[in-house]
Amino acid sequence: MNQEEKFDRSIRNILREDLVEQPTVNFTNKVMEHLGLQRVQPVKTPKPLLSSKAKIAIAAGYLLVIALIILFVKGGSATVPSYLEIFTKFKLPTLGSLIQVNSQILTMLVVLMTGGWILAGIDRLLKKIILR
Amino acid sequence: MKDELEEIVIEKLKKGEAHAFRYIVDKYKTYVFTVSLKVLRNREEAEESSQDTFMKVFKSIHDFRFDSKFSTWLYRIAFNNAVARTRKKILTTEPIEEAETLKNVSELTGALDNLSREERVRQVKKAVERLNEEDAILINLYYWQENSIADVAVITGLDENLVKVKIHRARHKLHKHLSEFLGLKIEDLL
């Protein structure tokens, strides 16, 4: 090996890795983008807002509300009269007739509203717990 | 060494399977960027030039006939692209008188070996930086990636003999600068 070859080999060994410069990290993507060849990112399916268990719980809540409404409409409770009973009693429920039985109707409405409000509260609470 | 996977990718590109180009960009981006940076000496410009290079390579891949190494063909495009951006003639073609042969290389390499790796690299890079632009480019191309004189000639578009002479002279200057940095007596070496 002559002097020049010896020198070249030595310098090459020293500079082998250190001459290489790195472009920015996303260089390949930039080039592919410029060529219109960027890989299409898979569309992420959004996570369902509620799990199936929560959905079942909410559905059960709504069924309960419907059941309560049916109960009130059809009667069957000693203390709370059926709305149908009131309706039949007074034939056409005029404003006056309704006012006459306002206490009973109001009781029924308050019970329904409170029930609905409690169920809505439970619904919201369940969503919060599940989403946490 | 023959890269069979690279050949398959190039064939795929020629058949129109454009997404295979990602392999080429990933494989050569550092080298194309390095060549561009050596010429342009500015990272942003070098990156833009590298992007242009890959665009050109993609568009002209059908012209590549496997007559030469793909890397050499690619570096030539990168080099020409970078030189075109400088809007000046980087390499001159006038003949240069051949310098005398190197002497006492063992002392110099011995002195380099006594340094830590970081210090050794720092000293050599400092010596390369002291070379003029043309010499620095040729030396960088030559000492990098096992490029031969013939490869450097293809990349730069210069005559092979001229490259040989220029590298010979640049090597001599590099030797001189390194000797100075390492505190060796030049008169003893040359």
Side-chain angles (χ1 to χ4, degrees):
Chain A
M1 191 188 289
N2 68 29
Q3 297 287 292
E4 288 190 356
E5 282 171 343
K6 207 190 262 182
F7 181 78
D8 287 350
R9 198 170 144 181
S10 173
I11 301 296
R12 266 210 177 112
N13 284 338
I14 293 168
L15 293 179
R16 195 178 295 276
E17 288 160 23
D18 287 86
L19 280 178
V20 177
E21 302 279 353
Q22 296 290 338
T24 46
V25 184
N26 58 348
F27 180 83
T28 306
N29 286 338
K30 272 190 201 169
V31 173
M32 298 303 276
E33 213 168 85
H34 275 120
L35 290 166
L37 301 169
Q38 184 58 290
R39 194 180 290 164
V40 180
Q41 294 295 319
V43 181
K44 282 183 182 171
T45 328
K47 261 189 170 182
L49 196 65
L50 294 170
S51 69
S52 52
K53 276 183 187 174
K55 279 177 189 166
I56 291 166
I58 291 162
Y62 285 124
L63 280 174
L64 188 66
V65 173
I66 292 163
L68 279 169
I69 291 167
I70 291 167
L71 184 74
F72 281 120
V73 169
K74 288 196 90 178
S77 164
T79 48
V80 183
S82 156
Y83 181 73
L84 278 178
E85 278 173 30
I86 300 160
F87 187 82
T88 351
K89 189 178 176 183
F90 296 98
K91 305 289 178 195
L92 287 169
T94 57
L95 186 65
S97 64
L98 282 173
I99 291 166
Q100 278 183 349
V101 286
N102 59 354
S103 61
Q104 287 171 324
I105 289 168
L106 276 174
T107 313
M108 193 168 69
L109 283 173
V110 166
V111 169
L112 277 171
M113 282 171 74
T114 316
W117 180 75
I118 290 167
L119 278 170
I122 293 167
D123 189 345
R124 213 173 298 149
L125 196 71
L126 270 170
K127 278 180 189 170
K128 271 188 185 172
I129 293 165
I130 291 157
L131 290 173
R132 194 173 289 168
Chain B
M1 199 168 63
K2 204 173 175 183
D3 187 339
E4 284 178 13
L5 180 60
E6 186 179 281
E7 281 184 20
I8 293 167
V9 168
I10 294 167
E11 288 298 349
K12 277 188 171 192
L13 283 168
K14 286 185 174 194
K15 282 177 192 163
E17 291 180 44
H19 284 278
F21 196 59
R22 181 174 281 275
Y23 173 84
I24 299 291
V25 182
D26 269 336
K27 186 175 178 184
Y28 289 106
K29 63 183 176 188
T30 49
Y31 301 118
V32 167
F33 181 69
T34 304
V35 169
S36 310
L37 190 61
K38 299 297 172 203
V39 175
L40 292 160
R41 298 183 180 198
N42 175 297
R43 296 192 76 86
E44 282 175 20
E45 279 190 57
E47 186 141 335
E48 280 177 23
S49 182
S50 305
Q51 283 186 23
D52 284 351
T53 299
F54 281 112
M55 308 285 266
K56 282 182 184 168
V57 167
F58 182 76
K59 284 169 190 164
S60 55
I61 194 81
H62 295 276
D63 299 334
F64 179 68
R65 306 260 174 249
F66 295 100
D67 298 333
S68 61
K69 278 196 287 181
F70 177 74
S71 58
T72 311
W73 180 75
L74 178 71
Y75 300 154
R76 180 166 169 73
I77 296 174
F79 182 80
N80 286 340
N81 219 23
V83 170
R85 277 177 172 258
T86 63
R87 291 180 184 182
K88 63 180 179 185
K89 204 169 184 184
I90 296 263
L91 304 175
T92 53
T93 51
E94 64 265 25
I96 299 164
E97 279 179 32
E98 199 162 318
E100 56 186 288
T101 51
L102 294 180
K103 290 172 188 167
N104 300 62
V105 169
S106 301
E107 280 88 336
L108 182 67
T109 52
L112 281 168
D113 287 343
N114 288 333
L115 302 172
S116 66
R117 190 191 168 274
E118 289 76 22
E119 187 56 17
R120 202 158 46 223
V121 170
R122 201 180 71 80
Q123 292 292 347
V124 176
K125 284 181 115 175
K126 200 167 82 174
V128 174
E129 279 166 22
R130 255 181 87 171
L131 298 172
N132 66 39
E133 203 174 2
E134 182 187 65
D135 288 343
I137 290 168
L138 290 174
I139 283 288
N140 278 324
L141 288 174
Y142 180 61
Y143 283 134
W144 169 59
Q145 255 221 323
E146 308 285 338
N147 277 333
S148 63
I149 297 274
D151 290 332
V152 177
V154 173
I155 294 169
T156 57
L158 293 177
D159 177 76
E160 200 174 317
N161 284 328
L162 188 64
V163 171
K164 199 175 176 181
V165 173
K166 279 174 182 277
I167 285 179
H168 183 91
R169 197 179 170 98
R171 184 195 286 119
H172 224 261
K173 286 181 195 165
L174 187 68
H175 183 278
K176 190 181 161 192
H177 295 324
L178 270 173
S179 304
E180 279 174 17
F181 294 154
L182 298 172
L184 301 172
K185 283 182 184 173
I186 301 163
E187 57 268 31
D188 291 344
L189 295 169
L190 300 174

